[in-house]
Amino acid sequence: MVDILGYYNYWGFVILLAIGLYGALACENLFKKMVGLSIFQTAIFLLFISIADVGTFETLGLKSGTAPIFWEEIHEYRYVNPVPHVLVLTGIVVAAATLAVGLALIIRIYREYGTLNEEELRWEL
Amino acid sequence: MIEHLPVLAVAVSLLGSFTVVLTSLYTRKAGYPLSLSITFIQLVMAVVILMNINSGGAISYWLGGWRPPWGIEYRVDILGAYVLVIVTIFSFLATVYARKTVEKEIDPEKQPYFYTLWLLLVSGMAGVAVTGDLFNLFVFLEIASLATYALIAMAGKRALIASFNYLVLGAVGISFYLLGTAFLYAATGTLNMLDARALLTLIYDSRIVQLSFVFYFIGLAMKMALFPFHVWQPNAYEHSPSAVTVIISTALAKVNAYALFRLIFSVYTVKFFQNYGTIFELTAIVASAGIIAGSVLAIMERSLKKMLAYSSVANVGYIVLAFTLGKWGIYAAAAHLLNHSLMKAALFMVAGGFIYRLGVRRIDELEGLGRAMPLSSAAFAMAAVSMIGIPPSAGFVTKLFILLASLDTGRFVFIAVMIASSLLSLVYFWRVIEILYMKGHRERMDELPASMLYPALIMGVLSILAGILWFFSIDILDEIVIALGVV
C-alpha cells in the first residue's frame, strides 16, 4: 500500500496524461481541446520532474540522473538532478507558444464562423 | 571554418527571420530577396558540408564549448548532411516558387510576416538535420511545427480549421516525442544520441526503453502522417497557400521521417529490434496498411491537392516500411527521402500553379489543360509517370530497392503490397493525365510565370532521370549504410 502511495507523483502523471489526451482528442469544443492539450503537456513535465529525483532509478544500477557538477561525489547522498528541470523550463516555453498559436487560431475561427464546435466546423472543410 | 558550418546553417535563417521583421518597419519588399539569398547560402553550406563529410567521418560541434554527453552537440554525419542538402534544396526552390503565389494569396501587409515564418520553418528543419541531441531535436521540430501552423493559417477561412486540426494532432504527436525522451532519459540519463546508443546496449531488456521507442514512434508517426494518424494532413495540404504546401510536403515531411530514421538506426540500433522483432513486424504492418489505404483514398478523392496528399500518406508508408527491411531497406528509405521530394515538389508546384492561373482545384476541371499549358502539364506528367514507377524514374529506383530488400529478407508479401500500390497509383495518376491531355478542349493560354514554371520543370525532369543520377551517386547510399553501422 505504501509502495503504491509512495509513487503518488507517477499516479498523478498517468491520470493527468489520460485526462489531457481525452480532452485534446475527444472534446468537441476547440477551446476545451486546447485545455486538454495543456494538461497533457503538463503531465509530461510532471514526469520529468519526478524522474529528476535520483533515488527512484538507482535500482537500475545505472549512472542515471547523475548531475554533472556532482560527478565525483558519493552516490548515497540524495540530491536532485538539475537537467530535467532545465528541460521542463524549455518545455513550458514551447507549450506556452503552442497554446498562444492555438488560441490565436481559435479567435480567428470564431470571428470567421461564429462557432467553436468541431462537428459544425467539420462541414465547412 | 568547416566545423562551424552546422551551427551556421541553422543560425543564418534564424537570424534572417528576425531581420525580415525589422526590415518590415521600413519596406514590405525585403522579405522575398532576403529569404531567397538566405536559403541559397544555406544550400551552399549544406553542399560544402556534404562534400567534406564524403572524405571523412562526422562533423561534431559543441555548443558553447560544453563537452558532448552534458552539453548540446551538433553532429552531422553523412546521413545528416544528405538530409540537410534535401532540406535546403527544396527550401530554396520553394522560395523561388513562393514569390508569385504569395503576392496573390497573402495580404500585402502580412507578406513580411509570411517570410519571417518561412525562414523560421527552414531554420527548424535544418536544425533537425544537424542536431545530435534528443531534446534539441524536439525543440527544432517544435520550431518548424509552430511556424507551419501559422503559415497554413495565413490562407485564411478554411485553412484556419485545417491548421487548428493540425495543431492539435501535431502538438499531441510532439508531446509523445517528449514523453519518449523522458522515458529514455529515465533509463539512460543522457540526451546525447551517441551516448544514448552506447548506454542502451546494456539495457535492451528494460521495459522503459521499449516503451520509450513506442512513444517516439507514435509521436513521429503523427507528425509525418503515417496511415492511422494522417487525418490532419489532406486538409492541411489542400487549404494552405500553394508555396507552403510545396515546402511542407517535400522538406518538412522528410525531416520528420528522418527523425524516425535517426532514432531507429543511430539510437536504438538494429540489435534492439532484432531482440524485439514484434516491434518491427507491427511497424511493417502499419506501414503496409498505410501504403494501400493512402492509395485507395487517393483514388476516391476529387480534389487534386488532396489526391496528392493521400499519395504522400502512401509514400510515407514506403519510407517506414523500408526501415524494417534490412540493409537494402535503408537504401530504399534514404533514396526515397530525395525521390519522393522531387516528385511531390513538381506535382504540388503545378497543382498550385493551376490554382494560381485558373483557380481550379477539382481534377475534372483540368480538362484540356495539357494543350493549353503544355510545359506546366509536362512537368506534372513527368512527375506522375515517375510516381507510377516507370524506369528510369525516381519512383522506379525506390521500388527496385524495396524489391531487392524483400527478396533479401525473404518477406515476399511486401512485393505484393508494392505491386498493388503501383497499380493503384497508375489508376489515380492516369485519371489526371487522361483528363489533362485527352478530354475537352481549351484555347492556348499563358504558361505559369517563370519563377513557378522552371522549378517545377527542373523537378519533373530530374524525377524522370533520377534512376540514371542514382546510378552514378550510389556511393552516398553505401556510405550512409556504413555510417549507420548496419552491415
Side-chain angles (χ1 to χ4, degrees):
Chain A
M1 191 64 191
V2 179
D3 275 357
I4 294 171
L5 289 179
Y7 289 113
Y8 62 90
N9 41 355
Y10 292 95
W11 288 110
F13 152 70
V14 170
I15 292 164
L16 285 178
L17 197 76
I19 293 174
L21 194 58
Y22 177 81
L25 299 180
C27 277
E28 286 199 347
N29 186 305
L30 299 191
F31 187 77
K32 286 183 186 168
K33 273 179 182 289
M34 288 314 294
V35 175
L37 196 60
S38 287
I39 295 172
F40 185 65
Q41 286 167 329
T42 311
I44 296 169
F45 302 151
L46 182 59
L47 175 71
F48 264 110
I49 297 295
S50 305
I51 61 174
D53 184 18
V54 176
T56 324
F57 283 93
E58 268 170 3
T59 41
L60 275 172
L62 292 165
K63 293 189 291 186
S64 70
T66 325
I69 10 176
F70 295 120
W71 192 247
E72 301 298 334
E73 297 287 313
I74 38 167
H75 283 265
E76 297 91 52
Y77 189 69
R78 197 182 175 86
Y79 56 83
V80 167
N81 182 354
V83 177
H85 290 78
V86 181
L87 301 184
V88 166
L89 207 58
T90 316
I92 287 172
V93 174
V94 168
T98 313
L99 191 64
V101 175
L103 293 180
L105 281 174
I106 284 178
I107 291 171
R108 293 222 25 214
I109 289 173
Y110 191 75
R111 279 191 195 146
E112 198 79 52
Y113 296 99
T115 177
L116 288 180
N117 188 301
E118 200 191 16
E119 283 301 314
E120 289 170 31
L121 288 170
R122 188 165 290 155
W123 294 107
E124 301 286 343
L125 269 178
Chain B
M1 180 59 195
I2 186 80
E3 71 270 19
H4 295 290
L5 278 182
V7 74
L8 281 174
V10 181
V12 282
S13 52
L14 198 60
L15 292 174
S17 105
F18 299 119
T19 318
V20 174
V21 183
L22 288 178
T23 55
S24 74
L25 296 173
Y26 302 100
T27 169
R28 281 179 197 157
K29 298 218 166 81
Y32 178 73
L34 266 174
S35 306
L36 195 65
S37 44
I38 285 168
T39 44
F40 183 72
I41 293 169
Q42 274 183 310
L43 175 58
V44 173
M45 284 178 176
V47 171
V48 172
I49 292 175
L50 185 67
M51 306 279 257
N52 276 279
I53 288 177
N54 261 332
S55 48
I59 300 176
S60 170
Y61 181 87
W62 303 352
L63 274 192
W66 293 93
R67 290 218 296 140
W70 302 292
I72 294 168
E73 183 193 16
Y74 281 4
R75 189 178 174 79
V76 194
D77 61 359
I78 181 82
L79 176 62
Y82 169 70
V83 172
L84 186 64
V85 169
I86 293 178
V87 165
T88 48
I89 285 179
F90 289 97
S91 304
F92 175 67
L93 282 171
T95 314
V96 173
Y97 176 84
R99 181 176 183 181
K100 289 281 176 186
T101 54
V102 169
E103 276 173 11
K104 184 160 182 174
E105 290 169 7
I106 310 288
D107 191 5
E109 276 177 32
K110 288 181 185 157
Q111 284 175 11
Y113 306 121
F114 179 91
Y115 287 110
T116 307
L117 292 166
W118 184 269
L119 285 174
L120 214 52
L121 167 61
V122 174
S123 158
M125 292 188 299
V128 174
V130 298
T131 189
D133 186 278
L134 290 163
F135 191 78
N136 207 236
L137 187 80
F138 158 78
V139 174
F140 278 126
L141 273 180
E142 195 63 285
I143 290 175
S145 309
L146 285 170
T148 315
Y149 307 145
L151 279 171
I152 294 172
M154 279 193 130
K157 272 276 180 190
R158 290 175 181 171
L160 296 171
I161 307 174
S163 168
F164 187 84
N165 287 343
Y166 181 19
L167 184 141
V168 171
L169 285 176
V172 169
I174 209 125
S175 302
F176 268 112
Y177 179 93
L178 188 60
L179 196 53
T181 311
F183 274 66
L184 196 72
Y185 187 81
T188 62
T190 183
L191 293 167
N192 185 290
M193 290 182 190
L194 216 58
D195 201 30
R197 179 192 181 122
L199 288 169
L200 277 174
T201 52
L202 308 168
I203 46 167
Y204 284 150
D205 295 330
S206 161
R207 280 281 171 80
I208 302 173
V209 175
Q210 292 162 27
L211 205 53
S212 72
F213 178 76
V214 174
F215 286 139
Y216 273 137
F217 182 78
I218 294 174
L220 289 170
M222 283 175 121
K223 289 297 299 172
M224 62 184 170
L226 194 63
F227 162 58
F229 307 111
H230 69 282
V231 283
W232 59 267
Q233 191 237 37
N235 281 319
Y237 283 16
E238 163 81 20
H239 298 296
S240 59
S242 303
V244 178
T245 313
V246 173
I247 200 169
I248 61 178
S249 67
T250 55
L252 185 62
K254 300 306 165 299
V255 156
N256 290 320
Y258 160 77
L260 188 61
F261 202 146
R262 181 58 86 192
L263 281 169
I264 289 180
F265 293 107
S266 281
V267 179
Y268 288 89
T269 70
V270 179
K271 280 216 180 67
F272 172 76
F273 297 103
Q274 278 166 353
N275 289 356
Y276 301 99
T278 44
I279 296 181
F280 255 19
E281 287 301 324
L282 281 175
T283 309
I285 291 168
V286 168
S288 304
I291 293 172
I292 300 295
S295 307
V296 171
L297 288 166
I299 289 178
M300 301 194 308
E301 191 51 60
R302 283 199 289 176
S303 151
L304 181 60
K305 271 170 106 181
K306 270 194 193 176
M307 185 199 90
L308 297 176
Y310 281 120
S311 150
S312 281
V313 173
N315 278 284
V316 162
Y318 270 119
I319 296 176
V320 176
L321 173 64
F323 291 155
T324 64
L325 291 177
K327 182 190 152 203
W328 285 105
I330 295 177
Y331 278 81
H336 203 50
L337 288 178
L338 178 60
N339 288 344
H340 182 236
S341 298
L342 282 175
M343 300 183 278
K344 271 290 144 56
L347 293 169
F348 272 119
M349 279 173 179
V350 177
F354 289 152
I355 294 170
Y356 175 81
R357 265 277 185 267
L358 305 158
V360 292
R361 286 174 177 273
R362 297 229 318 267
I363 294 171
D364 49 17
E365 291 171 330
L366 301 175
E367 283 186 352
L369 279 174
R371 297 240 168 70
M373 295 161 87
L375 284 176
S376 320
S377 304
F380 189 94
M382 282 189 283
V385 163
S386 173
M387 289 296 288
I388 296 164
I390 293 165
S393 66
F396 171 72
V397 176
T398 311
K399 281 166 187 167
L400 181 67
F401 282 137
I402 290 191
L403 181 71
L404 288 173
S406 307
L407 291 174
D408 196 38
T409 49
R411 290 154 81 180
F412 303 112
V413 62
F414 298 124
I415 299 177
V417 168
M418 195 184 75
I419 291 171
S421 138
S422 296
L423 291 175
L424 291 170
S425 67
L426 180 65
V427 172
Y428 62 79
F429 276 113
W430 183 253
R431 185 179 52 155
V432 181
I433 291 176
E434 193 185 356
I435 287 175
L436 268 178
Y437 285 97
M438 293 167 200
K439 282 192 178 166
H441 183 75
R442 269 182 215 247
E443 289 304 308
R444 185 68 189 258
M445 56 180 86
D446 285 343
E447 289 285 348
L448 300 179
S451 70
M452 295 167 77
L453 179 62
Y454 288 108
L457 266 179
I458 293 169
M459 291 294 112
V461 171
L462 280 179
S463 62
I464 284 283
L465 298 178
I468 300 165
L469 299 178
W470 275 121
F471 184 75
F472 291 110
S473 50
I474 192 91
D475 46 334
I476 286 192
L477 298 181
D478 291 333
E479 281 187 48
I480 287 174
V481 172
I482 294 165
L484 292 174
V486 177
V487 188

mmCIF file of all heavy atoms in Angstrom, chain B residues 312-338:
data_model
loop_
_atom_site.group_PDB
_atom_site.id
_atom_site.type_symbol
_atom_site.label_atom_id
_atom_site.label_comp_id
_atom_site.label_asym_id
_atom_site.label_seq_id
_atom_site.Cartn_x
_atom_site.Cartn_y
_atom_site.Cartn_z
ATOM 1 N N SER B 312 0.908 11.112 -50.683
ATOM 2 C CA SER B 312 2.002 11.297 -49.720
ATOM 3 C C SER B 312 1.860 10.347 -48.541
ATOM 4 O O SER B 312 2.858 9.839 -48.023
ATOM 5 C CB SER B 312 2.025 12.733 -49.187
ATOM 6 O OG SER B 312 2.616 13.584 -50.116
ATOM 7 N N VAL B 313 0.613 10.124 -48.085
ATOM 8 C CA VAL B 313 0.384 9.165 -46.994
ATOM 9 C C VAL B 313 0.943 7.804 -47.387
ATOM 10 O O VAL B 313 1.651 7.145 -46.623
ATOM 11 C CB VAL B 313 -1.126 9.061 -46.665
ATOM 12 C CG1 VAL B 313 -1.380 7.947 -45.670
ATOM 13 C CG2 VAL B 313 -1.649 10.376 -46.135
ATOM 14 N N ALA B 314 0.652 7.385 -48.651
ATOM 15 C CA ALA B 314 1.161 6.100 -49.123
ATOM 16 C C ALA B 314 2.685 6.097 -49.168
ATOM 17 O O ALA B 314 3.328 5.121 -48.793
ATOM 18 C CB ALA B 314 0.589 5.802 -50.506
ATOM 19 N N ASN B 315 3.272 7.220 -49.604
ATOM 20 C CA ASN B 315 4.723 7.245 -49.773
ATOM 21 C C ASN B 315 5.477 7.304 -48.459
ATOM 22 O O ASN B 315 6.592 6.788 -48.355
ATOM 23 C CB ASN B 315 5.112 8.404 -50.684
ATOM 24 C CG ASN B 315 4.952 8.032 -52.136
ATOM 25 O OD1 ASN B 315 5.763 7.319 -52.683
ATOM 26 N ND2 ASN B 315 3.857 8.460 -52.746
ATOM 27 N N VAL B 316 4.873 7.954 -47.444
ATOM 28 C CA VAL B 316 5.464 7.889 -46.108
ATOM 29 C C VAL B 316 5.459 6.443 -45.630
ATOM 30 O O VAL B 316 6.412 5.963 -45.008
ATOM 31 C CB VAL B 316 4.703 8.811 -45.130
ATOM 32 C CG1 VAL B 316 5.001 8.454 -43.694
ATOM 33 C CG2 VAL B 316 5.061 10.256 -45.388
ATOM 34 N N GLY B 317 4.390 5.722 -45.996
ATOM 35 C CA GLY B 317 4.326 4.295 -45.687
ATOM 36 C C GLY B 317 5.507 3.546 -46.288
ATOM 37 O O GLY B 317 6.116 2.701 -45.631
ATOM 38 N N TYR B 318 5.860 3.873 -47.542
ATOM 39 C CA TYR B 318 7.023 3.254 -48.177
ATOM 40 C C TYR B 318 8.293 3.462 -47.351
ATOM 41 O O TYR B 318 9.071 2.532 -47.141
ATOM 42 C CB TYR B 318 7.275 3.883 -49.561
ATOM 43 C CG TYR B 318 6.569 3.194 -50.696
ATOM 44 C CD1 TYR B 318 5.642 3.875 -51.472
ATOM 45 C CD2 TYR B 318 6.848 1.873 -51.000
ATOM 46 C CE1 TYR B 318 4.997 3.257 -52.522
ATOM 47 C CE2 TYR B 318 6.215 1.246 -52.052
ATOM 48 C CZ TYR B 318 5.286 1.940 -52.806
ATOM 49 O OH TYR B 318 4.658 1.323 -53.828
ATOM 50 N N ILE B 319 8.497 4.715 -46.908
ATOM 51 C CA ILE B 319 9.735 5.017 -46.173
ATOM 52 C C ILE B 319 9.781 4.202 -44.885
ATOM 53 O O ILE B 319 10.794 3.583 -44.561
ATOM 54 C CB ILE B 319 9.831 6.526 -45.882
ATOM 55 C CG1 ILE B 319 9.932 7.314 -47.187
ATOM 56 C CG2 ILE B 319 11.025 6.829 -44.987
ATOM 57 C CD1 ILE B 319 9.930 8.809 -47.022
ATOM 58 N N VAL B 320 8.646 4.189 -44.147
ATOM 59 C CA VAL B 320 8.641 3.483 -42.864
ATOM 60 C C VAL B 320 8.759 1.971 -43.071
ATOM 61 O O VAL B 320 9.452 1.278 -42.329
ATOM 62 C CB VAL B 320 7.378 3.840 -42.054
ATOM 63 C CG1 VAL B 320 7.309 3.041 -40.777
ATOM 64 C CG2 VAL B 320 7.373 5.326 -41.745
ATOM 65 N N LEU B 321 8.094 1.459 -44.122
ATOM 66 C CA LEU B 321 8.225 0.033 -44.433
ATOM 67 C C LEU B 321 9.686 -0.315 -44.711
ATOM 68 O O LEU B 321 10.209 -1.335 -44.244
ATOM 69 C CB LEU B 321 7.357 -0.312 -45.649
ATOM 70 C CG LEU B 321 7.504 -1.730 -46.204
ATOM 71 C CD1 LEU B 321 7.047 -2.749 -45.172
ATOM 72 C CD2 LEU B 321 6.716 -1.906 -47.491
ATOM 73 N N ALA B 322 10.359 0.574 -45.449
ATOM 74 C CA ALA B 322 11.750 0.310 -45.825
ATOM 75 C C ALA B 322 12.658 0.206 -44.593
ATOM 76 O O ALA B 322 13.629 -0.545 -44.602
ATOM 77 C CB ALA B 322 12.248 1.404 -46.759
ATOM 78 N N PHE B 323 12.327 0.932 -43.514
ATOM 79 C CA PHE B 323 13.148 0.862 -42.289
ATOM 80 C C PHE B 323 13.258 -0.574 -41.777
ATOM 81 O O PHE B 323 14.244 -0.959 -41.179
ATOM 82 C CB PHE B 323 12.532 1.699 -41.164
ATOM 83 C CG PHE B 323 12.594 3.174 -41.403
ATOM 84 C CD1 PHE B 323 11.682 4.017 -40.794
ATOM 85 C CD2 PHE B 323 13.576 3.731 -42.195
ATOM 86 C CE1 PHE B 323 11.734 5.385 -41.003
ATOM 87 C CE2 PHE B 323 13.636 5.092 -42.407
ATOM 88 C CZ PHE B 323 12.708 5.911 -41.808
ATOM 89 N N THR B 324 12.190 -1.363 -42.006
ATOM 90 C CA THR B 324 12.135 -2.685 -41.386
ATOM 91 C C THR B 324 12.749 -3.765 -42.263
ATOM 92 O O THR B 324 12.735 -4.926 -41.900
ATOM 93 C CB THR B 324 10.671 -3.081 -41.099
ATOM 94 O OG1 THR B 324 9.990 -3.200 -42.353
ATOM 95 C CG2 THR B 324 9.969 -2.038 -40.275
ATOM 96 N N LEU B 325 13.278 -3.399 -43.431
ATOM 97 C CA LEU B 325 13.682 -4.407 -44.407
ATOM 98 C C LEU B 325 15.196 -4.558 -44.553
ATOM 99 O O LEU B 325 15.691 -4.816 -45.643
ATOM 100 C CB LEU B 325 13.054 -4.105 -45.769
ATOM 101 C CG LEU B 325 11.541 -4.293 -45.853
ATOM 102 C CD1 LEU B 325 11.010 -3.902 -47.206
ATOM 103 C CD2 LEU B 325 11.159 -5.728 -45.547
ATOM 104 N N GLY B 326 15.937 -4.354 -43.463
ATOM 105 C CA GLY B 326 17.358 -4.653 -43.509
ATOM 106 C C GLY B 326 18.167 -3.672 -44.334
ATOM 107 O O GLY B 326 17.761 -2.541 -44.580
ATOM 108 N N LYS B 327 19.324 -4.131 -44.818
ATOM 109 C CA LYS B 327 20.294 -3.247 -45.458
ATOM 110 C C LYS B 327 19.724 -2.581 -46.707
ATOM 111 O O LYS B 327 19.807 -1.369 -46.874
ATOM 112 C CB LYS B 327 21.540 -4.067 -45.813
ATOM 113 C CG LYS B 327 22.627 -3.255 -46.444
ATOM 114 C CD LYS B 327 23.720 -4.175 -46.980
ATOM 115 C CE LYS B 327 24.419 -3.509 -48.144
ATOM 116 N NZ LYS B 327 25.079 -4.436 -49.035
ATOM 117 N N TRP B 328 19.093 -3.370 -47.589
ATOM 118 C CA TRP B 328 18.538 -2.776 -48.805
ATOM 119 C C TRP B 328 17.383 -1.850 -48.485
ATOM 120 O O TRP B 328 17.094 -0.922 -49.236
ATOM 121 C CB TRP B 328 18.109 -3.867 -49.787
ATOM 122 C CG TRP B 328 19.273 -4.505 -50.459
ATOM 123 C CD1 TRP B 328 19.799 -5.732 -50.201
ATOM 124 C CD2 TRP B 328 20.104 -3.918 -51.475
ATOM 125 N NE1 TRP B 328 20.895 -5.942 -50.985
ATOM 126 C CE2 TRP B 328 21.103 -4.856 -51.783
ATOM 127 C CE3 TRP B 328 20.081 -2.692 -52.141
ATOM 128 C CZ2 TRP B 328 22.093 -4.616 -52.731
ATOM 129 C CZ3 TRP B 328 21.066 -2.450 -53.089
ATOM 130 C CH2 TRP B 328 22.051 -3.400 -53.379
ATOM 131 N N GLY B 329 16.723 -2.125 -47.353
ATOM 132 C CA GLY B 329 15.663 -1.231 -46.912
ATOM 133 C C GLY B 329 16.192 0.162 -46.623
ATOM 134 O O GLY B 329 15.551 1.162 -46.941
ATOM 135 N N ILE B 330 17.400 0.238 -46.046
ATOM 136 C CA ILE B 330 17.987 1.550 -45.776
ATOM 137 C C ILE B 330 18.287 2.269 -47.081
ATOM 138 O O ILE B 330 18.056 3.474 -47.208
ATOM 139 C CB ILE B 330 19.256 1.405 -44.925
ATOM 140 C CG1 ILE B 330 18.882 0.847 -43.569
ATOM 141 C CG2 ILE B 330 19.956 2.742 -44.767
ATOM 142 C CD1 ILE B 330 20.046 0.594 -42.685
ATOM 143 N N TYR B 331 18.785 1.515 -48.085
ATOM 144 C CA TYR B 331 18.979 2.126 -49.407
ATOM 145 C C TYR B 331 17.662 2.727 -49.892
ATOM 146 O O TYR B 331 17.622 3.859 -50.371
ATOM 147 C CB TYR B 331 19.444 1.070 -50.417
ATOM 148 C CG TYR B 331 20.919 0.772 -50.393
ATOM 149 C CD1 TYR B 331 21.445 -0.091 -49.449
ATOM 150 C CD2 TYR B 331 21.774 1.350 -51.318
ATOM 151 C CE1 TYR B 331 22.797 -0.379 -49.426
ATOM 152 C CE2 TYR B 331 23.130 1.076 -51.303
ATOM 153 C CZ TYR B 331 23.638 0.200 -50.356
ATOM 154 O OH TYR B 331 24.955 -0.073 -50.331
ATOM 155 N N ALA B 332 16.580 1.922 -49.757
ATOM 156 C CA ALA B 332 15.283 2.379 -50.260
ATOM 157 C C ALA B 332 14.808 3.613 -49.500
ATOM 158 O O ALA B 332 14.384 4.604 -50.100
ATOM 159 C CB ALA B 332 14.256 1.261 -50.138
ATOM 160 N N ALA B 333 14.911 3.573 -48.151
ATOM 161 C CA ALA B 333 14.407 4.683 -47.343
ATOM 162 C C ALA B 333 15.188 5.958 -47.649
ATOM 163 O O ALA B 333 14.611 7.020 -47.879
ATOM 164 C CB ALA B 333 14.500 4.344 -45.857
ATOM 165 N N ALA B 334 16.529 5.840 -47.664
ATOM 166 C CA ALA B 334 17.348 7.034 -47.888
ATOM 167 C C ALA B 334 17.113 7.595 -49.283
ATOM 168 O O ALA B 334 16.993 8.803 -49.466
ATOM 169 C CB ALA B 334 18.821 6.699 -47.690
ATOM 170 N N ALA B 335 17.017 6.714 -50.290
ATOM 171 C CA ALA B 335 16.797 7.195 -51.652
ATOM 172 C C ALA B 335 15.412 7.821 -51.776
ATOM 173 O O ALA B 335 15.244 8.839 -52.438
ATOM 174 C CB ALA B 335 16.942 6.050 -52.648
ATOM 175 N N HIS B 336 14.423 7.224 -51.083
ATOM 176 C CA HIS B 336 13.061 7.731 -51.230
ATOM 177 C C HIS B 336 12.881 9.093 -50.569
ATOM 178 O O HIS B 336 12.016 9.862 -50.980
ATOM 179 C CB HIS B 336 12.046 6.730 -50.670
ATOM 180 C CG HIS B 336 10.677 6.894 -51.257
ATOM 181 N ND1 HIS B 336 10.454 6.966 -52.612
ATOM 182 C CD2 HIS B 336 9.451 7.018 -50.691
ATOM 183 C CE1 HIS B 336 9.159 7.131 -52.840
ATOM 184 N NE2 HIS B 336 8.535 7.171 -51.700
ATOM 185 N N LEU B 337 13.697 9.403 -49.550
ATOM 186 C CA LEU B 337 13.631 10.744 -48.956
ATOM 187 C C LEU B 337 13.806 11.794 -50.052
ATOM 188 O O LEU B 337 13.110 12.804 -50.083
ATOM 189 C CB LEU B 337 14.727 10.928 -47.899
ATOM 190 C CG LEU B 337 14.593 10.196 -46.571
ATOM 191 C CD1 LEU B 337 15.788 10.486 -45.698
ATOM 192 C CD2 LEU B 337 13.324 10.596 -45.849
ATOM 193 N N LEU B 338 14.772 11.565 -50.960
ATOM 194 C CA LEU B 338 15.004 12.513 -52.044
ATOM 195 C C LEU B 338 14.007 12.310 -53.186
ATOM 196 O O LEU B 338 13.409 13.275 -53.674
ATOM 197 C CB LEU B 338 16.440 12.373 -52.557
ATOM 198 C CG LEU B 338 16.812 13.282 -53.730
ATOM 199 C CD1 LEU B 338 16.652 14.743 -53.337
ATOM 200 C CD2 LEU B 338 18.228 13.032 -54.173
#
